[in-house]
Amino acid sequence: MDFRLKVFYTVALRLNFTKAATELYISQPAVSKHIQELEEKYKTKLFERNGSKIALTSAGEILLKHTKNILEIYREIDFEMSSFISERQGSLRLGASTTISQYIISPVLARFHQKQKDIKVNLLNGNTEQIETALINKEIEIGIVEGQSKNQSIKYTQFLKDELVLVCSSKNPIAKQNEVSVNDLKSMKFITRERGSGTLEVIEYALKNINLNLADLQIEMQLGSTESIKSYLLNSDCFAFMSIHAVGKELKNNELMVLDIANLSIERYFYVITLMGKSDALSEMFIQNMSSYYNMKL
């Protein structure tokens, strides 16, 4: 593959020549030279330059679309041709929403690497909305997310069952009650994830089923990660709905407590997402490895 296209692709994703140079292990002047050569070849500008900021031109957008397809074909060629030798080779780009990347996927990646040492895996972390966008933009091949937005261009496959539980610091006076009512929720102070979070969407849906809205809760703060929410809970009298997978260590150490809610249980599935109608051998192999790992644990 023309290395200039790889340089163009990296600059187009980062919209920053310096970051692209660092990622590609080449100098910034070399990046500029490769882009200039492509612009001379196609006799059109690929980037608009405004001071230190750059943006794709219409021609750049078209070249990016085709470059993504070319890179995808090369990735599949590398993997399928490697099947003729003893060690599988290739690269796989994954995306996982916050809870999954922090508490679910790491042991899967470690096990996969033990079996397939020559396959390079890159993991993108973000909320569900960001991971779906990355998949649609072909920046990743597989996503594992906490919610199901039912985007028509995405295939959703159930992966692992999860439960969202109400947690608070074990020092919180209400923790002694063990159970609260739905009506009690209105008087509690909550920490929630940001908009775009799959967890938040599931909570909203569950509350609507008991005639409550997020607006009915006293939300003290929205935070962008599960770890920051746990830290906040440990230093306040607030409450949060969190994945049971995310609080195992804190429950074991008696730092956080789970409160049952009368007549309310919030269950969901984590989903593997791929582009509808799009499949390749490497992605399928990883998904099978991931599913078999958790099937063995269940």
Side-chain angles (χ1 to χ4, degrees):
M1 178 184 174
D2 190 335
F3 184 68
R4 293 175 300 182
L5 284 179
K6 187 172 183 180
V7 173
F8 164 76
Y9 176 76
T10 308
V11 175
L13 285 187
R14 305 291 172 247
L15 292 177
N16 186 294
F17 279 66
T18 303
K19 289 180 179 178
T22 301
E23 191 169 322
L24 293 166
Y25 299 102
I26 60 176
S27 67
Q28 187 173 331
V31 171
S32 300
K33 181 175 180 290
H34 287 306
I35 298 301
Q36 184 181 353
E37 288 177 357
L38 283 175
E39 290 180 331
E40 289 173 356
K41 177 179 179 179
Y42 296 117
K43 297 180 174 58
T44 186
K45 289 290 183 184
L46 300 173
F47 295 97
E48 295 285 357
R49 296 161 176 82
N50 183 11
S52 61
K53 295 182 179 180
I54 63 171
L56 283 166
T57 62
S58 297
E61 294 280 3
I62 291 172
L63 184 58
L64 177 60
K65 180 183 74 172
H66 291 299
T67 302
K68 285 179 178 179
N69 291 333
I70 291 169
L71 285 169
E72 195 171 335
I73 291 168
Y74 268 92
R75 190 183 70 85
E76 292 180 20
I77 290 172
D78 287 344
F79 178 70
E80 293 190 21
M81 292 304 292
S82 72
S83 65
F84 294 100
I85 59 176
S86 58
E87 291 293 334
R88 289 276 199 172
Q89 297 175 343
S91 62
L92 182 64
R93 299 171 301 173
L94 305 176
S97 51
T98 308
T99 299
I100 294 165
S101 65
Q102 289 179 320
Y103 310 105
I104 303 295
I105 200 68
S106 292
V108 176
L109 293 177
R111 181 172 180 262
F112 184 76
H113 180 68
Q114 288 173 356
K115 291 184 173 183
Q116 307 291 341
K117 294 186 184 297
D118 289 330
I119 293 176
K120 181 181 179 183
V121 179
N122 290 316
L123 177 65
L124 172 70
N125 179 36
N127 63 33
T128 295
E129 186 178 301
Q130 291 166 336
I131 298 305
E132 289 186 347
T133 299
L135 181 68
I136 291 168
N137 290 338
K138 296 186 176 179
E139 294 167 14
I140 57 175
E141 284 79 46
I142 304 170
I144 309 106
V145 297
E146 302 163 37
Q148 186 180 16
S149 68
K150 299 180 180 177
N151 188 306
Q152 294 301 309
S153 60
I154 294 176
K155 177 184 176 183
Y156 296 84
T157 305
Q158 287 183 355
F159 161 49
L160 184 66
K161 196 171 185 180
D162 183 35
E163 182 182 5
L164 294 175
V165 292
L166 181 65
V167 295
C168 65
S169 167
S170 57
K171 298 176 183 176
N172 191 316
I174 298 179
K176 298 175 184 177
Q177 295 183 17
N178 293 325
E179 183 177 277
V180 296
S181 69
V182 169
N183 201 49
D184 289 333
L185 299 177
K186 297 179 183 178
S187 61
M188 297 176 175
K189 293 179 294 182
F190 282 86
I191 306 298
T192 69
R193 286 286 307 280
E194 79 291 353
R195 285 289 171 187
S197 159
T199 297
L200 189 61
E201 288 181 5
V202 172
I203 292 167
E204 283 188 278
Y205 182 78
L207 291 176
K208 284 179 182 177
N209 286 336
I210 55 172
N211 299 315
L212 278 179
N213 294 308
L214 273 181
D216 297 322
L217 304 183
Q218 298 180 43
I219 298 176
E220 183 165 309
M221 195 172 296
Q222 289 186 324
L223 296 175
S225 76
T226 304
E227 285 298 310
S228 60
I229 290 177
K230 288 196 291 186
S231 180
Y232 199 103
L233 290 178
L234 291 172
N235 292 280
S236 73
D237 285 337
C238 288
F239 299 81
F241 287 102
M242 305 188 76
S243 165
I244 193 67
H245 292 285
V247 294
K249 182 179 74 173
E250 288 77 14
L251 294 177
K252 185 177 179 180
N253 294 337
N254 200 33
E255 295 172 314
L256 293 177
M257 297 285 290
V258 172
L259 291 175
D260 290 330
I261 305 172
N263 304 314
L264 178 64
S265 175
I266 307 178
E267 294 183 338
R268 64 172 176 182
Y269 278 91
F270 295 138
Y271 291 88
V272 173
I273 59 172
T274 52
L275 286 177
M276 190 67 73
K278 175 65 184 169
S279 178
D280 64 84
L282 177 51
S283 295
E284 289 296 328
M285 184 176 75
F286 179 82
I287 291 170
Q288 288 173 6
N289 271 265
M290 184 170 61
S291 298
S292 65
Y293 174 83
Y294 276 101
N295 286 338
M296 284 192 303
K297 289 177 69 70
L298 293 177

